[in-house]
Amino acid sequence: MSESYGAIKVEAGDAAPAGMNAGGIKQGHVCCGGCCDVRRATIIINVITLVFAVLSLFSAVSIKFYAGQAKSEVDDDEVKATLDDIQATPFGVAYFFIGIEIVFALAAIIGAVKYNSCLVLTVFIYYCVGAILNVVALDFIAVIISCLYAYPHYFLYKEIKSGIMSEENYVNEKQSCCCV
């Protein structure tokens, strides 16, 4: 009966593991208008976040450092007052939040590379909390950015949990139009 429908008999040992597509067809979600898979999008987004966070950290340290040096070379009283204000500004809070951003970006990258759903979910929650705080602050551009950053994390988490995205199955799920 199965021959008349073109069905193929599969022996018990030949079946693919749960969630793994034996046929080589992509099952997972794509991001950026079909440009890349959610794992790659998660890694790219968090590399960008990491780069900007490190640049922010260096900028904050440089501003504090060079404000002190510039003060001795400036004659203008208004500029000296501004440099005094910069030196008096407590940058500790900025360093703390930049450090948090770095930790979460690294966690997302590690989670995506290692297919760790807990790390990916943690960073997804982090971006959702950021979106909620930005709604409260009425910063709607930041809300949109937070939601766009959360988007691939959510789908990566779902795919890792369902077995669609795994180290064994990434060959079927890999998609990229331009990056690597």
Side-chain angles (χ1 to χ4, degrees), residues 62-159:
S62 296
I63 288 169
K64 187 85 167 169
F65 176 75
Y66 288 114
Q69 283 188 336
K71 193 172 109 178
S72 63
E73 299 173 12
V74 173
D75 294 333
D76 189 353
D77 290 337
E78 287 182 38
V79 173
K80 280 186 179 184
T82 301
L83 293 173
D84 284 337
D85 290 344
I86 290 172
Q87 279 191 302
T89 302
F91 278 83
V93 174
Y95 298 151
F96 175 76
F97 283 112
I98 293 169
I100 288 175
E101 192 77 21
I102 290 170
V103 167
F104 277 102
L106 288 172
I109 293 168
I110 292 167
V113 169
K114 300 282 188 180
Y115 303 94
N116 184 315
S117 62
C118 290
L119 287 175
V120 174
L121 178 63
T122 302
V123 179
F124 168 71
I125 293 168
Y126 169 74
Y127 284 125
C128 289
V129 168
I132 292 167
L133 293 174
N134 289 321
V135 166
V136 171
L138 300 176
D139 188 353
F140 297 111
I141 292 174
V143 170
I144 292 169
I145 291 170
S146 294
C147 290
L148 288 173
Y149 274 37
Y151 172 81
H153 294 79
Y154 170 74
F155 282 101
L156 179 59
Y157 168 75
K158 257 179 71 173
E159 289 180 16

